[in-house]
Amino acid sequence: MSLQQDIMTSLKAAMKAKDQTALTALRAVKSAILLAKTETGADGDLSEAEELKILQKQVKQRKDSAAVYLEQGREDLAAPELAEAEVISQFLPEALSEEAIEKVVTDTIAQVGATGMKDMGKVMGLVSKALAGKADGKTISNIVKAKLA
């Protein structure tokens, strides 16, 4: 079953259960996927990688919003954002541990022959492609910086 079908099934279940948090989150994801399918230059079909990228973006937006709300002392606004991020995260593949990410980064650095920060772009590109959907870009970046520094 495709990711979009999974989301539609969950959306219907959330409607039946009258789960407003899940409804809001899943409708936003459905909308983002529909927009991506119909934007100019799109062929009307999304690959699994593109769908995962959309989901990651949705989760990141909600977590960033929650962080801003928490900085301003608005736990009442942060809680729904975090709950929605959790609902969307169910559709993402299991995230890798930092040790697993570190191993991929180390292997990539050795493969490319990177020696310093000037090679960060090369390493980030390869690692991001290898770990697409499995790791957060910020985490990857932090590990690459630590290894190349």
Side-chain angles (χ1 to χ4, degrees):
M1 193 183 290
S2 78
L3 187 61
Q4 192 171 6
Q5 289 172 328
D6 289 345
I7 291 170
M8 287 303 298
T9 304
S10 295
L11 185 63
K12 289 175 187 173
M15 284 179 186
K16 289 178 183 175
K18 296 182 176 18
D19 183 352
Q20 289 302 315
T21 304
L23 268 175
T24 305
L26 294 172
R27 283 181 175 150
V29 170
K30 180 183 171 195
S31 173
I33 289 173
L34 192 61
L35 282 172
K37 278 185 163 185
T38 58
E39 69 185 10
T40 40
D43 63 356
D45 246 2
L46 293 177
S47 69
E48 189 176 340
E50 291 169 325
E51 289 176 336
L52 289 175
K53 197 174 282 190
I54 290 170
L55 289 177
Q56 286 177 320
K57 183 177 180 183
Q58 294 289 317
V59 170
K60 184 177 181 334
Q61 284 176 344
R62 280 158 182 75
K63 286 183 178 180
D64 289 347
S65 295
V68 169
Y69 291 143
L70 288 172
E71 282 176 18
Q72 297 171 349
R74 297 294 309 263
E75 286 81 16
D76 58 320
L77 295 175
E81 294 289 334
L82 291 172
E84 286 180 24
E86 191 61 40
V87 169
I88 298 169
S89 294
Q90 296 171 9
F91 297 98
L92 290 171
E94 192 67 37
L96 292 175
S97 66
E98 283 203 26
E99 294 81 29
I101 297 169
E102 201 167 313
K103 182 180 179 345
V104 172
V105 169
T106 305
D107 293 346
T108 306
I109 289 172
Q111 175 189 352
V112 173
T115 56
M117 289 303 286
K118 67 183 185 318
D119 297 321
M120 183 166 174
K122 277 191 246 178
V123 175
M124 279 297 297
L126 292 171
V127 173
S128 295
K129 194 176 288 185
L131 299 178
K134 299 176 189 165
D136 177 38
K138 190 174 187 178
T139 306
I140 295 171
S141 175
N142 289 338
I143 293 173
V144 170
K145 281 180 188 173
K147 291 286 184 185
L148 291 177

